[in-house]
Amino acid sequence: MSNSAPQPLIRSKAPLRLGFAGGGTDIAEYYDRHGGYVLNATVDMYAYCTIEPRSDEKVVFYAADLHVREDFEAAPVLKTSQVLPLHTGIYNHICAFFNEGRPLCFAMTTYSDAPAGSGLGSSSTLVVAIIKAYVEWLNLPLGEYDIAALAYKIEREDLALAGGKQDQYAAAFGGFNFMEFYKDNRVIINPLRIKRWIRNELEASLVLYYTGVSRDSASIIKEQIEHSIKGDAKNVESMHEMKHQAVLMKEALLKGDFKSFSGCLLAGWMAKKNMAASITNSFLDEMYQFALDNGAEAAKISGAGGGGFMMILCDPCRRIELIRALSNRGTETGSLVLTPSFTEIGTQAWTLY
């Protein structure tokens, strides 16, 4: 019988986010010139990671929600995976900068409460959860700003994946945040103290409707970046308007002015649709109108657009009516209706022995 001590299990999770206003102004091509503002909040849906150390010189990645597994011989640098690029990209960075260039041996299991392409920041949230698991396992001195900045660097620089900056910071910090993005990678996270009754009313008014259409946010964002680089006047003006709506929406939220909050959500969506042709389409426009016809006061596609979740605000007294209508429509399209709650805590990790 072996007397060796059992290997610990390291687990972590990070919350997904809803982007209320300003999404798109968090891409470098815009905020380097003009500064970006984003208002978002995290909900009780998560990305998860478990690390189980091994002693057989193997590295195993298993994405349980995708039913994808990849096995590697332990090495300081793994070939970037075509199916799990985030997993290998994070591993390579951690080994190089936090493990003195030495390999690590373990099995990693990940999954998310939301599908990829959901518009809830699922990919970047998963990166934050994975980094947080390494932080717990290796006892790394990284706080929320450090984890978010590292997640952004790995995604946008190491792996050259197009995207913005809000998701990483939302997942790391959690809660309601007004975020400011400036050149030279300067980021300011302003946590908002939302009164309990305001949070309760917002939760009671909120419906998430999964369109049944997953989209590639990177391709949409690339189109936005191209417009920004070219200085497309219509695109830049739309970004300015979205940033303005983020400021107005923050004020409305803090005061509990829900009429203005809904108005800002609607105005932000109208501006966002001008940023790239692929943000909406006839199917999404039809669904948007369907929501309005069945009790919604305002709505927007969460994230980059093109599909994923539609975030809907309604009179709480009409929410059941709206949910029933969306659910009946969803039986035909394979859609999903959710009523999430807000969470105040960012990424967390713990160890089991």
Side-chain angles (χ1 to χ4, degrees):
M1 180 180 295
S2 173
N3 292 322
S4 61
Q7 293 280 20
L9 279 177
I10 298 90
R11 300 196 198 278
S12 67
K13 66 177 184 178
L16 300 170
R17 63 99 186 101
L18 292 179
F20 291 126
T25 70
D26 60 330
I27 61 172
E29 287 73 15
Y30 178 82
Y31 66 68
D32 278 349
R33 299 180 184 180
H34 310 287
Y37 298 155
V38 171
L39 176 67
N40 61 30
T42 51
V43 294
D44 57 348
M45 300 169 66
Y46 297 88
Y48 301 87
C49 177
T50 294
I51 291 177
E52 184 176 4
R54 298 167 64 122
S55 56
D56 60 357
E57 304 303 316
K58 298 285 186 181
V59 178
V60 179
F61 295 122
Y62 177 52
D65 46 354
L66 303 178
H67 304 290
V68 173
R69 171 177 168 146
E70 288 206 296
D71 295 60
F72 299 86
E73 294 292 332
V77 179
L78 302 180
K79 181 180 179 181
T80 301
S81 168
Q82 295 301 307
V83 289
L84 299 176
L86 299 177
H87 296 65
T88 51
I90 299 167
Y91 172 92
N92 289 341
H93 195 102
I94 293 294
C95 287
F97 294 95
F98 297 100
N99 203 46
E100 300 179 340
R102 298 171 303 183
L104 293 163
C105 307
F106 60 89
M108 176 182 290
T109 301
T110 60
Y111 62 95
S112 177
D113 286 335
S118 64
L120 303 181
S122 53
S123 295
S124 297
T125 302
L126 179 60
V127 174
V128 169
I130 292 174
I131 292 174
K132 183 64 174 180
Y134 281 118
V135 168
E136 174 77 6
W137 182 27
L138 303 176
N139 194 28
L140 303 179
L142 302 178
E144 292 92 343
Y145 274 104
D146 303 311
I147 291 173
L150 180 57
Y152 179 84
K153 184 181 188 309
I154 292 172
E155 283 188 88
R156 308 295 175 238
E157 298 178 19
D158 295 1
L159 297 173
L161 299 174
K165 219 168 196 176
Q166 65 161 311
D167 299 346
Q168 297 87 349
Y169 286 86
F173 281 85
F176 287 82
N177 290 293
F178 184 78
M179 303 180 175
E180 303 174 52
F181 303 101
Y182 302 103
K183 64 180 180 180
D184 300 323
N185 287 315
R186 190 163 67 94
V187 179
I188 302 172
I189 305 301
N190 303 281
L192 302 182
R193 295 178 61 185
I194 306 300
K195 293 179 180 178
R196 177 61 62 176
W197 72 267
I198 296 175
R199 174 174 163 169
N200 287 341
E201 179 69 10
L202 188 56
E203 285 183 350
S205 307
L206 180 65
V207 175
L208 282 186
Y209 179 55
Y210 185 60
T211 63
V213 178
S214 178
R215 84 287 184 273
D216 178 12
S217 62
S219 62
I220 298 173
I221 292 169
K222 283 179 181 177
E223 184 180 350
Q224 297 175 25
I225 290 172
E226 290 172 1
H227 289 315
S228 295
I229 292 174
K230 293 177 182 177
D232 181 273
K234 182 179 179 181
N235 178 271
V236 173
E237 279 302 314
S238 296
M239 301 276 256
H240 289 344
E241 176 62 19
M242 290 172 62
K243 189 169 76 167
H244 177 59
Q245 290 301 325
V247 175
L248 296 180
M249 185 179 272
K250 177 188 70 171
E251 181 179 347
L253 180 63
L254 289 170
K255 292 180 177 179
D257 182 352
F258 289 96
K259 183 176 180 180
S260 295
F261 187 88
S262 294
C264 290
L265 190 76
L266 183 59
W269 172 240
M270 293 299 109
K272 188 176 183 67
K273 290 199 296 184
N274 291 324
M275 289 168 51
S278 53
I279 285 176
T280 191
N281 52 52
S282 59
F283 173 71
L284 294 178
D285 288 341
E286 180 184 339
M287 286 180 47
Y288 190 96
Q289 188 59 49
F290 180 85
L292 294 179
D293 292 342
N294 285 276
E297 296 179 353
K300 70 181 286 285
I301 299 296
S302 188
F309 275 96
M310 179 176 288
M311 179 170 53
I312 306 170
L313 293 178
C314 66
D315 182 331
C317 292
R318 297 195 66 184
R319 187 161 78 151
I320 291 299
E321 172 190 339
L322 175 61
I323 290 172
R324 185 179 299 117
L326 293 172
S327 297
N328 289 338
R329 181 185 177 91
T331 58
E332 303 173 5
T333 62
S335 305
L336 177 68
V337 182
L338 300 174
T339 55
S341 298
F342 296 107
T343 180
E344 299 175 358
I345 301 175
T347 188
Q348 306 170 67
W350 60 99
T351 302
L352 302 174
Y353 291 96

Coordinates of all heavy atoms in Angstrom, one line a residue, residues 40-118:
N40 N -21.1 47.4 -16.5 CA -21.6 46.0 -16.5 C -21.8 45.4 -15.1 O -21.5 46.1 -14.1 CB -20.6 45.1 -17.3 CG -19.2 45.1 -16.7 OD1 -19.0 45.2 -15.5 ND2 -18.2 44.9 -17.6
A41 N -22.3 44.2 -15.0 CA -22.5 43.6 -13.8 C -22.4 42.1 -14.0 O -22.8 41.5 -15.0 CB -23.9 43.9 -13.2
T42 N -21.9 41.4 -12.9 CA -21.8 39.9 -13.0 C -23.1 39.2 -12.5 O -23.8 39.8 -11.6 CB -20.6 39.4 -12.3 OG1 -20.6 40.0 -10.9 CG2 -19.3 39.8 -13.0
V43 N -23.4 38.1 -13.0 CA -24.5 37.3 -12.6 C -24.1 35.9 -12.1 O -23.0 35.5 -12.2 CB -25.5 37.2 -13.8 CG1 -26.1 38.5 -14.2 CG2 -24.8 36.5 -15.0
D44 N -25.1 35.2 -11.6 CA -24.8 33.9 -10.9 C -24.8 32.8 -12.0 O -25.4 31.8 -11.9 CB -25.9 33.6 -9.9 CG -27.3 33.6 -10.4 OD1 -27.5 34.1 -11.5 OD2 -28.2 33.2 -9.7
M45 N -23.9 33.0 -13.0 CA -23.6 32.0 -14.0 C -22.0 32.1 -14.0 O -21.5 33.2 -14.0 CB -24.2 32.3 -15.3 CG -25.7 32.3 -15.3 SD -26.4 32.9 -16.8 CE -25.9 31.7 -18.0
Y46 N -21.4 30.9 -14.1 CA -19.9 30.9 -13.9 C -19.2 30.0 -15.0 O -19.8 29.2 -15.6 CB -19.6 30.3 -12.6 CG -20.2 31.1 -11.4 CD1 -21.4 30.9 -10.9 CD2 -19.4 32.1 -10.8 CE1 -21.9 31.7 -9.9 CE2 -19.9 32.8 -9.7 CZ -21.1 32.6 -9.3 OH -21.6 33.4 -8.2
A47 N -17.9 30.3 -15.1 CA -17.0 29.4 -15.7 C -16.2 28.7 -14.6 O -15.8 29.4 -13.6 CB -16.0 30.2 -16.7
Y48 N -15.9 27.5 -14.8 CA -15.3 26.7 -13.7 C -14.0 26.0 -14.2 O -13.8 25.7 -15.4 CB -16.2 25.5 -13.3 CG -17.5 26.0 -12.7 CD1 -18.6 26.2 -13.6 CD2 -17.7 26.2 -11.4 CE1 -19.8 26.7 -13.1 CE2 -19.0 26.6 -10.9 CZ -20.0 26.9 -11.8 OH -21.2 27.3 -11.3
C49 N -13.1 25.8 -13.3 CA -11.8 25.1 -13.6 C -11.4 24.2 -12.4 O -11.5 24.7 -11.2 CB -10.7 26.1 -13.9 SG -9.1 25.4 -14.2
T50 N -10.9 23.0 -12.7 CA -10.4 22.1 -11.6 C -9.0 21.7 -12.1 O -8.9 21.2 -13.3 CB -11.3 20.9 -11.4 OG1 -12.5 21.3 -10.8 CG2 -10.6 19.9 -10.4
I51 N -8.0 21.8 -11.2 CA -6.7 21.2 -11.5 C -6.4 20.1 -10.6 O -6.6 20.2 -9.4 CB -5.6 22.3 -11.4 CG1 -5.7 23.4 -12.5 CG2 -4.2 21.7 -11.4 CD1 -4.7 24.5 -12.3
E52 N -6.0 19.0 -11.1 CA -5.6 17.8 -10.3 C -4.1 17.5 -10.7 O -3.8 17.0 -11.8 CB -6.5 16.6 -10.7 CG -6.2 15.4 -9.8 CD -7.1 14.2 -10.1 OE1 -8.0 14.4 -11.0 OE2 -7.0 13.2 -9.4
P53 N -3.2 17.8 -9.8 CA -1.8 17.5 -10.1 C -1.5 16.0 -10.3 O -2.2 15.2 -9.7 CB -1.1 18.0 -8.8 CG -2.0 19.0 -8.2 CD -3.4 18.5 -8.5
R54 N -0.6 15.8 -11.2 CA -0.2 14.4 -11.6 C 1.3 14.2 -11.4 O 2.0 15.2 -11.4 CB -0.6 14.1 -13.0 CG -2.1 14.1 -13.3 CD -2.4 14.1 -14.8 NE -2.1 12.9 -15.4 CZ -2.9 12.1 -16.1 NH1 -4.2 12.4 -16.2 NH2 -2.5 11.0 -16.6
S55 N 1.7 13.0 -11.4 CA 3.1 12.7 -11.3 C 3.6 11.8 -12.5 O 4.7 11.2 -12.4 CB 3.4 12.0 -10.0 OG 2.6 10.8 -9.9
D56 N 2.9 11.8 -13.6 CA 3.3 10.9 -14.7 C 3.8 11.7 -15.9 O 3.8 11.2 -17.0 CB 2.1 10.1 -15.1 CG 0.9 10.9 -15.5 OD1 1.0 12.2 -15.5 OD2 -0.1 10.3 -15.9
E57 N 4.2 12.9 -15.7 CA 4.8 13.8 -16.8 C 3.8 14.0 -17.9 O 4.1 14.0 -19.1 CB 6.1 13.1 -17.3 CG 7.1 12.9 -16.3 CD 7.5 14.1 -15.5 OE1 7.7 15.2 -16.2 OE2 7.6 14.1 -14.3
K58 N 2.5 14.1 -17.6 CA 1.5 14.3 -18.5 C 0.7 15.7 -18.2 O 0.6 16.1 -17.1 CB 0.4 13.2 -18.5 CG 1.0 11.8 -18.9 CD 1.3 11.7 -20.4 CE 1.7 10.3 -20.8 NZ 1.9 10.2 -22.2
V59 N 0.2 16.3 -19.3 CA -0.7 17.4 -19.1 C -2.0 17.0 -19.9 O -1.9 16.7 -21.1 CB -0.1 18.7 -19.7 CG1 -1.1 19.8 -19.6 CG2 1.2 19.1 -19.0
V60 N -3.1 17.1 -19.2 CA -4.4 16.7 -19.8 C -5.4 17.9 -19.7 O -5.6 18.4 -18.6 CB -5.0 15.4 -19.1 CG1 -6.3 15.1 -19.8 CG2 -4.0 14.3 -19.3
F61 N -5.9 18.3 -20.8 CA -7.0 19.3 -20.8 C -8.3 18.7 -21.2 O -8.3 18.0 -22.2 CB -6.6 20.4 -21.7 CG -5.4 21.2 -21.4 CD1 -4.3 21.3 -22.2 CD2 -5.3 21.9 -20.1 CE1 -3.2 22.1 -21.9 CE2 -4.2 22.6 -19.8 CZ -3.1 22.7 -20.7
Y62 N -9.3 18.9 -20.4 CA -10.6 18.4 -20.7 C -11.7 19.5 -20.6 O -11.9 20.0 -19.5 CB -11.0 17.2 -19.9 CG -12.4 16.6 -20.1 CD1 -12.8 16.3 -21.4 CD2 -13.3 16.5 -19.1 CE1 -14.1 15.8 -21.6 CE2 -14.6 16.0 -19.3 CZ -14.9 15.6 -20.6 OH -16.2 15.2 -20.8
A63 N -12.2 19.9 -21.7 CA -13.3 20.8 -21.7 C -14.6 20.1 -21.7 O -15.1 19.6 -22.7 CB -13.3 21.7 -22.9
A64 N -15.2 19.9 -20.5 CA -16.3 19.0 -20.3 C -17.6 19.4 -21.1 O -18.3 18.6 -21.6 CB -16.7 18.9 -18.8
D65 N -17.8 20.8 -21.2 CA -19.0 21.2 -21.9 C -18.8 21.1 -23.4 O -19.8 21.0 -24.1 CB -19.3 22.7 -21.5 CG -18.0 23.6 -21.6 OD1 -16.9 23.1 -21.8 OD2 -18.2 24.8 -21.4
L66 N -17.6 21.0 -23.9 CA -17.4 20.8 -25.3 C -17.1 19.3 -25.7 O -17.0 19.0 -26.8 CB -16.2 21.6 -25.8 CG -16.3 23.1 -25.5 CD1 -15.0 23.8 -26.0 CD2 -17.5 23.7 -26.2
H67 N -17.0 18.5 -24.6 CA -16.6 17.1 -24.8 C -15.3 16.9 -25.6 O -15.2 16.1 -26.5 CB -17.7 16.3 -25.5 CG -19.1 16.4 -24.9 ND1 -19.3 15.8 -23.6 CD2 -20.2 17.0 -25.2 CE1 -20.6 16.1 -23.3 NE2 -21.1 16.8 -24.2
V68 N -14.3 17.8 -25.3 CA -13.0 17.8 -25.9 C -11.9 17.5 -24.9 O -11.9 18.1 -23.9 CB -12.8 19.1 -26.7 CG1 -11.3 19.1 -27.2 CG2 -13.8 19.4 -27.8
R69 N -11.1 16.5 -25.3 CA -9.9 16.2 -24.4 C -8.6 16.2 -25.2 O -8.6 15.7 -26.4 CB -10.1 14.9 -23.7 CG -8.9 14.4 -23.0 CD -9.1 13.1 -22.3 NE -7.8 12.5 -21.8 CZ -7.7 11.8 -20.7 NH1 -8.7 11.6 -19.9 NH2 -6.5 11.3 -20.4
E70 N -7.6 16.8 -24.7 CA -6.3 16.7 -25.3 C -5.2 16.4 -24.3 O -5.2 16.9 -23.2 CB -5.9 18.1 -26.0 CG -6.8 18.4 -27.2 CD -6.1 19.3 -28.2 OE1 -5.8 20.5 -27.8 OE2 -5.8 18.9 -29.3
D71 N -4.3 15.4 -24.7 CA -3.3 14.9 -23.9 C -1.9 15.4 -24.4 O -1.7 15.3 -25.6 CB -3.3 13.4 -23.8 CG -4.6 12.9 -23.1 OD1 -5.7 13.2 -23.6 OD2 -4.4 12.3 -22.0
F72 N -1.0 15.8 -23.6 CA 0.3 16.2 -24.0 C 1.4 15.6 -23.0 O 1.1 15.3 -21.9 CB 0.4 17.8 -23.9 CG -0.5 18.5 -24.7 CD1 -1.8 18.9 -24.2 CD2 -0.1 19.0 -26.0 CE1 -2.6 19.6 -25.0 CE2 -1.0 19.7 -26.7 CZ -2.2 20.0 -26.3
E73 N 2.6 15.4 -23.6 CA 3.7 15.1 -22.8 C 4.1 16.4 -22.1 O 4.2 17.5 -22.8 CB 4.9 14.6 -23.6 CG 4.6 13.2 -24.2 CD 4.5 12.1 -23.2 OE1 5.2 12.3 -22.1 OE2 3.8 11.1 -23.4
A74 N 4.4 16.4 -20.8 CA 4.7 17.7 -20.1 C 5.9 18.3 -20.7 O 7.0 17.6 -20.9 CB 4.9 17.4 -18.6
A75 N 5.9 19.6 -21.0 CA 7.0 20.4 -21.5 C 6.8 21.8 -21.2 O 5.7 22.2 -20.8 CB 7.0 20.2 -23.1
P76 N 7.9 22.6 -21.2 CA 7.7 24.0 -20.8 C 6.8 24.8 -21.8 O 6.2 25.7 -21.4 CB 9.2 24.5 -20.9 CG 10.0 23.3 -20.7 CD 9.3 22.2 -21.4
V77 N 6.8 24.3 -23.1 CA 6.0 25.0 -24.1 C 5.2 23.9 -24.8 O 5.8 22.9 -25.3 CB 6.8 25.8 -25.1 CG1 5.9 26.4 -26.1 CG2 7.6 26.8 -24.4
L78 N 3.9 24.0 -24.8 CA 3.0 23.1 -25.5 C 2.6 23.7 -26.9 O 2.5 25.0 -27.0 CB 1.7 22.8 -24.7 CG 1.9 22.2 -23.4 CD1 0.6 21.9 -22.7 CD2 2.7 20.9 -23.4
K79 N 2.5 22.9 -27.9 CA 2.0 23.4 -29.1 C 0.6 24.0 -29.0 O -0.3 23.3 -28.3 CB 2.0 22.3 -30.2 CG 1.5 22.7 -31.6 CD 1.5 21.6 -32.5 CE 1.0 22.0 -33.9 NZ 1.0 20.9 -34.9
T80 N 0.3 25.2 -29.5 CA -1.0 25.8 -29.3 C -2.1 24.9 -29.9 O -2.0 24.5 -31.1 CB -1.0 27.2 -30.0 OG1 0.0 28.0 -29.4 CG2 -2.4 27.8 -29.8
S81 N -3.0 24.5 -29.1 CA -4.1 23.7 -29.6 C -5.0 24.4 -30.5 O -5.3 25.6 -30.3 CB -4.9 23.2 -28.4 OG -6.1 22.5 -28.8
Q82 N -5.5 23.7 -31.5 CA -6.5 24.3 -32.4 C -7.9 24.3 -31.8 O -8.7 25.1 -32.2 CB -6.5 23.5 -33.8 CG -5.2 23.7 -34.5 CD -4.9 25.1 -34.8 OE1 -5.7 25.8 -35.4 NE2 -3.6 25.5 -34.5
V83 N -8.2 23.4 -30.9 CA -9.5 23.2 -30.3 C -9.6 23.8 -28.9 O -10.6 24.3 -28.5 CB -10.0 21.8 -30.3 CG1 -10.3 21.3 -31.7 CG2 -8.9 20.9 -29.6
L84 N -8.4 23.8 -28.2 CA -8.4 24.4 -26.9 C -7.2 25.4 -26.8 O -6.3 25.2 -25.9 CB -8.2 23.3 -25.8 CG -9.4 22.3 -25.7 CD1 -9.0 21.2 -24.7 CD2 -10.7 22.9 -25.4
P85 N -7.2 26.4 -27.6 CA -6.1 27.4 -27.6 C -5.9 28.1 -26.3 O -4.8 28.5 -25.9 CB -6.4 28.3 -28.7 CG -7.9 28.3 -28.9 CD -8.3 26.8 -28.5
L86 N -7.0 28.4 -25.6 CA -6.9 29.2 -24.3 C -6.2 28.3 -23.3 O -5.3 28.8 -22.6 CB -8.3 29.5 -23.8 CG -9.2 30.4 -24.7 CD1 -10.6 30.6 -24.1 CD2 -8.5 31.7 -24.9
H87 N -6.5 27.0 -23.2 CA -5.8 26.2 -22.2 C -4.3 26.1 -22.4 O -3.5 26.3 -21.5 CB -6.4 24.8 -22.3 CG -7.9 24.7 -22.0 ND1 -8.9 25.3 -22.7 CD2 -8.5 24.1 -21.0 CE1 -10.1 25.1 -22.2 NE2 -9.9 24.3 -21.1
T88 N -3.9 25.9 -23.7 CA -2.5 25.8 -23.9 C -1.8 27.1 -23.9 O -0.7 27.2 -23.4 CB -2.2 25.1 -25.3 OG1 -3.0 25.8 -26.3 CG2 -2.6 23.7 -25.4
G89 N -2.5 28.2 -24.3 CA -1.9 29.5 -24.2 C -1.6 30.0 -22.8 O -0.6 30.5 -22.5
I90 N -2.6 29.7 -21.9 CA -2.4 30.1 -20.5 C -1.3 29.2 -19.9 O -0.4 29.7 -19.2 CB -3.7 29.9 -19.7 CG1 -4.8 30.8 -20.3 CG2 -3.5 30.2 -18.2 CD1 -6.2 30.4 -19.8
Y91 N -1.3 27.9 -20.2 CA -0.2 27.0 -19.6 C 1.2 27.5 -20.0 O 2.1 27.6 -19.2 CB -0.4 25.6 -20.2 CG 0.7 24.7 -19.9 CD1 0.7 23.9 -18.7 CD2 1.8 24.5 -20.7 CE1 1.7 23.0 -18.4 CE2 2.9 23.7 -20.4 CZ 2.8 22.9 -19.3 OH 3.8 22.1 -19.0
N92 N 1.3 27.9 -21.3 CA 2.6 28.3 -21.8 C 3.1 29.6 -21.1 O 4.3 29.7 -20.7 CB 2.6 28.5 -23.3 CG 2.5 27.2 -24.1 OD1 2.8 26.1 -23.6 ND2 2.1 27.3 -25.3
H93 N 2.2 30.5 -20.9 CA 2.5 31.8 -20.2 C 2.9 31.5 -18.7 O 3.8 32.1 -18.2 CB 1.4 32.8 -20.3 CG 1.8 34.2 -20.0 ND1 2.0 35.1 -20.9 CD2 2.0 34.8 -18.8 CE1 2.4 36.2 -20.4 NE2 2.4 36.1 -19.0
I94 N 2.1 30.7 -18.1 CA 2.3 30.4 -16.6 C 3.7 29.7 -16.4 O 4.5 30.1 -15.6 CB 1.2 29.5 -16.1 CG1 -0.1 30.3 -16.0 CG2 1.6 29.0 -14.7 CD1 -0.2 31.5 -15.0
C95 N 4.0 28.8 -17.3 CA 5.3 28.1 -17.2 C 6.5 29.0 -17.4 O 7.5 29.0 -16.7 CB 5.4 26.9 -18.2 SG 4.4 25.5 -17.7
A96 N 6.3 29.9 -18.4 CA 7.4 30.8 -18.8 C 7.6 31.9 -17.7 O 8.8 32.2 -17.4 CB 7.1 31.4 -20.1
F97 N 6.6 32.4 -17.2 CA 6.7 33.6 -16.3 C 6.5 33.4 -14.9 O 6.9 34.2 -14.0 CB 5.8 34.7 -16.8 CG 6.1 35.3 -18.2 CD1 5.5 34.8 -19.3 CD2 7.1 36.2 -18.3 CE1 5.8 35.3 -20.6 CE2 7.4 36.7 -19.6 CZ 6.8 36.2 -20.7
F98 N 5.9 32.2 -14.5 CA 5.6 32.0 -13.1 C 6.1 30.6 -12.6 O 5.9 30.3 -11.4 CB 4.1 32.1 -12.8 CG 3.6 33.5 -13.1 CD1 2.9 33.7 -14.3 CD2 3.7 34.5 -12.2 CE1 2.4 35.0 -14.6 CE2 3.2 35.8 -12.5 CZ 2.6 36.0 -13.7
N99 N 6.8 29.9 -13.4 CA 7.3 28.6 -13.0 C 8.8 28.4 -13.5 O 9.2 27.2 -13.7 CB 6.4 27.4 -13.5 CG 6.6 26.2 -12.6 OD1 6.6 26.2 -11.4 ND2 6.7 25.0 -13.3
E100 N 9.5 29.5 -13.7 CA 10.9 29.5 -14.1 C 11.2 28.6 -15.3 O 12.2 28.0 -15.5 CB 11.8 29.0 -12.9 CG 11.6 29.9 -11.7 CD 12.5 29.3 -10.5 OE1 12.8 28.2 -10.5 OE2 12.8 30.2 -9.6
G101 N 10.2 28.6 -16.3 CA 10.4 27.8 -17.5 C 10.3 26.3 -17.4 O 10.6 25.6 -18.3
R102 N 9.8 25.9 -16.2 CA 9.7 24.4 -16.0 C 8.3 23.9 -16.3 O 7.3 24.7 -16.2 CB 10.0 24.1 -14.5 CG 11.5 24.4 -14.1 CD 11.6 24.3 -12.6 NE 10.7 25.1 -11.9 CZ 10.6 25.2 -10.6 NH1 11.5 24.5 -9.8 NH2 9.7 26.0 -10.0
P103 N 8.2 22.7 -16.8 CA 6.8 22.2 -17.1 C 6.0 21.9 -15.8 O 6.6 21.7 -14.7 CB 7.1 20.9 -17.8 CG 8.4 20.4 -17.3 CD 9.2 21.7 -17.0
L104 N 4.7 21.8 -16.0 CA 3.8 21.4 -14.9 C 3.1 20.1 -15.4 O 2.9 19.9 -16.5 CB 2.8 22.5 -14.6 CG 3.3 23.8 -14.0 CD1 2.3 25.0 -14.2 CD2 3.7 23.6 -12.6
C105 N 2.7 19.3 -14.4 CA 2.0 18.0 -14.7 C 0.7 18.0 -14.0 O 0.7 18.1 -12.7 CB 2.9 16.8 -14.3 SG 4.6 16.9 -14.9
F106 N -0.4 17.9 -14.7 CA -1.7 17.9 -14.1 C -2.8 17.6 -15.1 O -2.5 17.5 -16.3 CB -2.0 19.3 -13.5 CG -2.0 20.4 -14.6 CD1 -3.1 20.7 -15.3 CD2 -0.8 21.1 -14.9 CE1 -3.1 21.7 -16.3 CE2 -0.8 22.0 -15.9 CZ -1.9 22.4 -16.6
A107 N -4.0 17.4 -14.6 CA -5.2 17.2 -15.4 C -6.1 18.4 -15.1 O -6.3 18.7 -13.9 CB -5.9 15.9 -15.1
M108 N -6.6 19.1 -16.1 CA -7.4 20.2 -15.9 C -8.8 20.0 -16.6 O -8.9 19.5 -17.7 CB -6.8 21.5 -16.6 CG -7.7 22.7 -16.5 SD -7.0 24.2 -17.3 CE -5.7 24.6 -16.2
T109 N -9.9 20.2 -15.8 CA -11.2 20.1 -16.3 C -11.9 21.5 -16.3 O -11.8 22.2 -15.2 CB -12.0 19.1 -15.5 OG1 -11.4 17.8 -15.5 CG2 -13.5 19.0 -16.0
T110 N -12.5 21.9 -17.4 CA -13.2 23.2 -17.4 C -14.6 23.1 -18.0 O -14.8 22.1 -18.7 CB -12.4 24.2 -18.2 OG1 -12.3 23.7 -19.6 CG2 -11.0 24.5 -17.7
Y111 N -15.4 24.0 -17.6 CA -16.8 24.1 -18.2 C -17.4 25.4 -17.9 O -16.9 26.1 -16.9 CB -17.7 22.9 -17.8 CG -18.0 22.8 -16.4 CD1 -19.1 23.3 -15.8 CD2 -17.1 22.1 -15.5 CE1 -19.4 23.2 -14.5 CE2 -17.4 22.0 -14.1 CZ -18.6 22.6 -13.6 OH -18.8 22.5 -12.3
S112 N -18.4 25.7 -18.6 CA -19.1 27.0 -18.3 C -20.6 26.8 -18.3 O -21.1 25.9 -18.9 CB -18.7 28.0 -19.5 OG -19.4 29.2 -19.3
D113 N -21.3 27.7 -17.5 CA -22.7 27.7 -17.5 C -23.4 28.2 -18.7 O -24.6 28.1 -18.9 CB -23.2 28.5 -16.3 CG -23.0 27.8 -14.9 OD1 -22.9 26.5 -14.9 OD2 -22.9 28.5 -13.9
A114 N -22.6 28.9 -19.5 CA -23.1 29.5 -20.8 C -22.3 29.0 -21.9 O -21.1 28.8 -21.8 CB -23.0 31.0 -20.7
P115 N -22.9 28.8 -23.1 CA -22.2 28.3 -24.3 C -21.3 29.3 -24.8 O -21.5 30.5 -24.6 CB -23.3 27.9 -25.2 CG -24.5 28.8 -24.8 CD -24.4 28.9 -23.4
A116 N -20.3 28.9 -25.5 CA -19.4 29.8 -26.2 C -20.2 30.6 -27.2 O -21.1 30.1 -27.9 CB -18.2 29.1 -26.9
G117 N -19.9 31.9 -27.4 CA -20.6 32.7 -28.3 C -21.9 33.2 -27.7 O -22.8 33.7 -28.4
S118 N -22.0 33.2 -26.4 CA -23.3 33.5 -25.7 C -23.4 35.1 -25.6 O -24.5 35.6 -25.4 CB -23.4 32.9 -24.3 OG -22.3 33.4 -23.5

